Amino acid sequence: MRTAIIVYTILTVVMLIPWFVYNIKVSINLKKDNKKFTALRLAAAVLVTVVIIFAAYSHFRFTIGYQVPLVAERAGLVFVKRMEGKLDLSGYQAEMRRHNLSAADMSVASDEKWEAAALPFRHTGLHLSERTYHMEDGTALIYMMHESVDEHMYSFLKMSKSGYSWLVEEHGILTEEEFENANEEMKIRFYPIR
């Protein structure tokens, strides 16, 4: 997510630099000819600047909703708040909806399973699986590893496509045994997010 923000910030600056240079050259040429930069020209310059920024921001919003790992990363960061005890189950679901990350009928592991996972614990790291596992029914599965000082826990996000974006349909917790069985078959590797 941080990388996407950096890339789109650089992209926006790269798109704006030629526009600003053009307007500066026009302003200098007008000054040489003893003419003024008219209000209409100024309004057009501001309008085009706003359009460029809006286009870059709109594409950024599209990208963070369209790319499964970026949706999973955002959902994982909300889940970190749940793990640290900052959100209860209903608060977690509300936060997911607020960020447009979950389907209306998102299912979440039962409270008993949350408690069995020893929540809350001091969260130190979030890792996502390197691969996205696409299922035959059109959904995508991505695994998360949550690290604490002395333990780790696994969860998964099952996502479905809604228009041009992915939404979390199910967020479940995996026991160590369930993860080992899945890992045996899929050879899951993780990369750090936080």
Side-chain angles (χ1 to χ4, degrees):
M1 184 70 181
R2 191 175 308 148
T3 305
I5 292 170
I6 291 169
V7 166
Y8 276 94
T9 301
I10 291 170
L11 177 68
T12 304
V13 169
V14 166
M15 290 189 317
L16 286 173
I17 287 174
W19 178 242
F20 288 148
V21 168
Y22 168 76
N23 281 302
I24 290 169
K25 283 183 179 181
V26 167
S27 177
I28 291 170
N29 287 338
L30 287 173
K31 227 177 208 176
K32 284 181 184 176
D33 296 339
N34 291 327
K35 294 181 183 176
K36 291 186 177 183
F37 205 75
T38 65
L40 183 63
R41 188 177 290 269
L42 181 62
V46 169
L47 180 67
V48 170
T49 302
V50 168
V51 166
I52 290 171
I53 292 170
F54 178 75
Y57 179 74
S58 297
H59 198 271
F60 167 75
R61 295 295 305 167
F62 168 78
T63 301
I64 64 172
Y66 186 74
Q67 297 292 324
V68 175
L70 293 176
V71 174
E73 179 180 345
R74 291 170 49 220
L77 293 174
V78 173
F79 183 59
V80 166
K81 292 179 187 176
R82 166 80 174 118
M83 293 179 71
E84 293 174 341
K86 295 176 184 171
L87 294 173
D88 61 358
L89 185 57
S90 61
Y92 166 67
Q93 290 172 318
E95 189 79 5
M96 290 287 283
R97 282 191 299 275
R98 190 175 73 80
H99 288 289
N100 297 322
L101 293 171
S102 68
D105 57 346
M106 178 180 88
S107 67
V108 182
S110 67
D111 282 340
E112 294 80 30
K113 200 152 187 181
W114 292 111
E115 289 168 15
L119 296 180
F121 71 89
R122 193 166 156 251
H123 198 276
T124 58
L126 173 65
H127 302 263
L128 290 180
S129 59
E130 288 182 349
R131 290 186 48 215
T132 301
Y133 302 92
H134 292 277
M135 305 306 201
E136 292 175 5
D137 62 356
T139 60
L141 200 65
I142 197 159
Y143 293 94
M144 295 190 292
M145 180 174 68
H146 309 276
E147 285 185 322
S148 180
V149 175
D150 55 353
E151 61 183 332
H152 57 273
M153 177 189 120
Y154 299 99
S155 68
F156 68 91
L157 295 172
K158 183 179 180 183
M159 293 183 264
S160 60
K161 199 161 192 178
S162 174
Y164 290 107
S165 61
W166 289 89
L167 298 175
V168 177
E169 199 175 273
E170 180 182 357
H171 189 177
I173 295 178
L174 298 169
T175 64
E176 195 74 37
E177 184 180 318
E178 289 170 332
F179 176 75
E180 289 304 324
N181 291 339
N183 190 31
E184 213 172 275
E185 182 183 324
M186 295 184 260
K187 306 291 185 230
I188 302 168
R189 293 190 343 200
F190 293 95
Y191 65 93
I193 295 298
R194 175 183 157 204

